[in-house]
């Protein structure tokens, strides 16, 4: 059977759409059934390219191990060009497969960009796209990147019955099948280009490792981990000697300008903004020395109130206008030195409401679903930020210990699964493509909700 993913799939189609869909499906023909193992005998090896990186080889070993447990067969991992066997790797690993796969990649990525705005979405769409295709010589499990290939491996296993419902070995399901075979021709990429799922509060290290394993097997290790959290606290500490000598840099509150750990700045002061821009870039250079792959940093203010009451600050506009003014100057300063990096921030609390000034296209804004200070609906808030030029995502909460205390009677996981699924679908329709969700290590009461969120973040349909 030929499989194709459609983000706009609905029960009824106008006649023109039906004709177009039939023509498009015809272009995906050519999949054949491939037998992977039969009667405890592997029919194909798992193949990696010569010189494949360690991460790809680990994925191939994982696939061989799980397929072996399913079929009771020993699957070898060997090197090859991908023309035969179960090829696991990136598009660059197997250039000989290009005629077979490149049309699928191109069609997927062209369709995936529809409705996306901002440089972040366009950069990240390709990072997680992959193709699964059975053919006369074997099976292609090929991604645009290592992460995409990892997602392809676990998607293939999912199609064959594998499940990792919750973290831990007890929740892993590996069905036994005397004959393993698949007929597949599918290209896929996630609905949400960021699916950041994290524990708030402390937990045991081994439980964090189990969470990482669950995320890997449920395609929740996304290609972007946008930094958008509160950042001014660190600036206040780093710049304290300067700020102590320049009180005019601090926000004026009740006629006073004081340094505090969660204080605000007087953003009307151009000299201050220049200092903050230079400091942000200096900090980012240091981050890139430690991790050259880091793609973003946050310019989000400290939490809470205390915003400047000076006439000059008020003349700049709303708190959102002031925050975006600084963020724009940071983003503009990055243009030459960091042309492919991003600036992250929240739309949250006092800077929830969309600004009246344009947002630099390098800026990605995560709109908070909680602690919102705006008279707009969440839909209008998201679309208002996008209208000003931001790439938009959402900062959500599944579980917060101070709210539900891990009690079933208060937890979202026992009463709000349908609500979260519906909300995430709405977010997608409103233009959000990044999702950052805070939760707790509370799988007994929230596990089904966590699983549902993972599924719908990958595929809103």
């Amino acid at each position: 059977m030929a499989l194709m993913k459609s983000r706009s799939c609905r029960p009824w189609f106008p006649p023109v759409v039906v004709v177009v869909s039939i023509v498009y499906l015809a272009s995906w023909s050519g999949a054949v059934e491939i037998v992977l193992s039969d009667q405890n005998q592997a029919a194909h090896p798992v193949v990696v390219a010569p010189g494949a990186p360690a991460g790809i080889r680990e994925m191939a070993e994982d696939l061989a191990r799980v397929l072996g447990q399913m079929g009771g067969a020993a699957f070898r991992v060997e090197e090859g060009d991908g023309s035969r066997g179960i090829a696991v790797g990136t598009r660059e690993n197997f250039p000989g497969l290009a005629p077979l796969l490149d049309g699928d990649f191109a069609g997927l990525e062209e369709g995936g960009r529809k409705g996306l705005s901002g440089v972040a979405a366009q950069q990240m769409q390709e990072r997680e796209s992959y193709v699964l295709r059975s053919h006369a010589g074997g099976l292609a499990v090929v991604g645009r990147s290592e992460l995409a290939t990892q997602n392809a491996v676990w998607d293939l296993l999912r199609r064959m019955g594998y499940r990792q419902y919750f973290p831990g070995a007890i929740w892993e399901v590996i069905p036994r099948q005397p004959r393993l075979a698949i007929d597949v021709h599918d290209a896929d990429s996630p609905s949400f280009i960021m699916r950041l799922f994290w524990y708030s509060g402390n937990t045991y290290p081994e439980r964090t490792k189990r969470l990482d394993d669950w995320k890997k097997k449920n395609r929740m290790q996304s290609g972007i981990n946008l930094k958008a959290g509160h950042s001014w606290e660190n600036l206040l500490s780093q710049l304290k000697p300067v700020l102590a000598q320049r009180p005019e840099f601090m926000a004026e509150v009740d006629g006073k300008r004081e340094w505090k750990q969660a204080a605000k700045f007087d953003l009307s002061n151009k000299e201050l903004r220049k200092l903050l821009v230079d400091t942000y870039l200096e900090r980012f250079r240091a981050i890139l020395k430690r991790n050259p792959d880091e793609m973003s940093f946050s310019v989000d203010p400290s939490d809470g109130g205390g915003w400047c009451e000076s006439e000059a600050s008020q003349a700049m506009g709303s708190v959102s206008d002031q925050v975006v003014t600084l963020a724009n100057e940071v983003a503009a300063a990055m243009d030459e030195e960091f042309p492919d990096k991003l600036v992250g921030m929240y739309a949250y609390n006092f800077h929830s409401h969309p600004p009246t000034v344009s947002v630099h296209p390098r800026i990605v804004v995560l709109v908070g679903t909680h602690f919102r200070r705006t008279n707009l609906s969440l839909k209008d808030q998201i679309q208002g930020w996008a209208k000003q030029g931001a790439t938009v995502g959402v900062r959500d909460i599944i579980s917060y210990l101070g709210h539900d205390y891990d009690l079933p009677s208060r937890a979202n996981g026992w009463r709000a699964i349908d609500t979260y699924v519906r909300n995430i679908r709405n977010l997608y329709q409103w233009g959000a493509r990044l999702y950052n969700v805070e939760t707790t290590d509370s799988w007994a009461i929230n596990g089904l909700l966590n699983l549902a969120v993972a599924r719908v973040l990958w595929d809103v349909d």
Side-chain angles (χ1 to χ4, degrees):
M1 75 185 154
L3 301 175
M4 185 187 74
K5 186 164 193 173
S6 173
R7 295 294 184 210
S8 58
C9 183
R10 293 294 182 269
W12 177 85
F13 295 93
V16 173
V17 177
V18 172
V19 173
V20 172
S21 298
I22 291 172
V23 173
Y24 190 56
L25 281 167
S27 70
W28 285 60
S29 61
V32 298
E33 183 182 70
I34 179 73
V35 177
L36 304 182
S37 68
D38 194 12
Q39 300 300 320
N40 301 326
Q41 294 294 320
H44 296 276
V46 177
V47 176
V48 298
I56 294 292
R57 292 178 180 275
E58 182 178 343
M59 296 169 205
E61 295 286 354
D62 282 341
L63 181 59
R65 172 180 55 80
V66 178
L67 288 178
Q69 290 176 276
M70 284 183 174
F75 283 82
R76 303 188 317 276
V77 177
E78 58 186 48
E79 294 185 349
D81 62 6
S83 60
R84 305 195 66 81
I86 308 169
V88 176
T90 66
R91 161 65 181 77
E92 288 71 24
N93 291 155
F94 299 117
L97 292 178
L100 187 69
L101 305 180
D102 279 1
D104 297 336
F105 277 120
L108 174 70
E109 289 155 6
E110 181 180 355
R113 293 191 186 99
K114 294 178 181 177
L116 301 183
S117 62
V119 294
Q122 294 166 6
Q123 287 178 1
M124 290 301 102
Q125 185 67 47
E126 293 186 5
R127 185 170 292 196
E128 291 195 73
S129 61
Y130 60 83
V131 174
L132 298 174
R133 183 163 183 174
S134 53
H135 56 90
L139 176 63
V141 186
V142 178
R144 278 291 192 190
S145 66
E146 286 193 33
L147 175 61
T149 304
Q150 173 181 285
N151 289 334
V153 165
W154 293 105
D155 185 17
L156 173 66
L157 291 172
R158 179 187 63 85
R159 293 164 187 257
M160 305 188 76
Y162 178 91
R163 297 291 185 272
Q164 179 76 58
Y165 287 109
F166 303 161
I170 196 172
W171 293 106
E172 184 180 46
V173 176
I174 304 178
R176 290 297 302 271
Q177 302 178 44
R179 182 178 185 270
L180 288 178
I182 191 168
D183 170 3
V184 62
H185 184 174
D186 199 5
D188 210 353
S189 63
S191 296
F192 283 78
I193 58 175
M194 184 176 83
R195 306 171 304 286
L196 188 59
F197 184 97
W198 54 280
Y199 290 152
S200 60
N202 295 323
T203 190
Y204 295 105
E206 62 270 21
R207 298 201 48 93
T208 301
K209 291 180 180 179
R210 291 178 188 173
L211 174 64
D212 290 340
D213 181 69
W214 176 85
K215 290 195 290 187
K216 176 179 73 173
K217 295 173 179 177
N218 286 280
R219 296 181 291 180
M220 282 286 280
Q221 291 183 339
S222 55
I224 177 173
N225 182 355
L226 182 80
K227 303 298 189 296
H230 306 309
S231 70
W232 284 12
E233 292 88 346
N234 290 333
L235 290 179
L236 286 161
S237 296
Q238 180 179 345
L239 299 174
K240 186 175 181 180
V242 176
L243 298 173
Q245 300 297 318
R246 300 293 300 272
E248 70 273 20
F249 285 175
M250 304 306 302
E252 179 184 324
V253 181
D254 296 330
K256 299 179 181 179
R257 296 178 182 267
E258 298 178 319
W259 184 96
K260 296 179 181 178
Q261 188 55 58
K264 302 298 187 293
F265 299 112
D266 184 345
L267 294 179
S268 68
N269 190 305
K270 294 182 179 180
E271 190 177 351
L272 166 72
R273 296 203 306 270
K274 177 65 165 58
L275 172 65
L276 296 180
V277 169
D278 291 344
T279 304
Y280 272 125
L281 266 61
E282 176 187 332
R283 292 169 65 91
F284 194 47
R285 292 185 192 103
I287 291 171
L288 291 175
K289 285 183 178 180
R290 299 191 299 270
N291 179 18
D293 293 330
E294 184 61 68
M295 65 175 303
S296 67
F297 65 97
S298 173
V299 297
D300 196 65
S302 53
D303 203 356
W307 287 91
C308 188
E309 300 168 354
S310 71
E311 290 185 10
S313 290
Q314 300 302 311
M316 292 182 69
S318 68
V319 172
S320 295
D321 289 340
Q322 296 176 42
V323 172
V324 168
T325 296
L326 173 63
N328 281 342
E329 292 179 2
V330 173
M334 295 169 59
D335 283 343
E336 183 173 346
E337 187 174 358
F338 308 117
D340 59 341
K341 304 299 183 181
L342 305 172
V343 175
M345 58 178 282
Y346 290 148
Y348 165 87
N349 209 340
F350 286 87
H351 57 292
S352 297
H353 199 80
T356 62
V357 297
S358 297
V359 180
H360 192 287
R362 197 188 306 284
I363 295 174
V364 184
V365 178
L366 299 184
V367 177
T369 58
H370 299 69
F371 306 108
R372 298 170 61 239
R373 288 179 179 263
T374 175
N375 58 357
L376 298 178
S377 67
L378 183 59
K379 174 183 178 181
D380 289 341
Q381 185 187 8
I382 289 172
Q383 294 182 339
W385 278 94
K387 184 179 179 180
Q388 293 300 88
T391 296
V392 183
V394 169
R395 165 73 160 84
D396 205 358
I397 297 175
I398 285 179
S399 176
Y400 175 62
L401 191 59
H403 172 261
D404 58 39
Y405 302 102
D406 281 354
L407 297 175
S409 61
R410 299 179 63 117
N412 288 317
W414 283 66
R415 55 187 172 84
I417 294 178
D418 288 344
T419 299
Y420 269 82
V421 169
R422 182 171 60 252
N423 288 347
I424 290 172
R425 287 174 174 158
N426 286 338
L427 294 173
Y428 185 86
Q429 293 299 322
W430 300 339
R433 293 296 184 271
L434 299 94
Y435 190 83
N436 174 332
V437 63
E438 172 185 353
T439 189
T440 54
D441 189 4
S442 53
W443 289 82
I445 58 173
N446 287 309
L448 290 176
L449 174 55
N450 296 341
L451 185 64
V453 166
R455 298 280 177 84
V456 76
L457 286 175
W458 183 271
D459 182 359
V460 294
D461 293 325

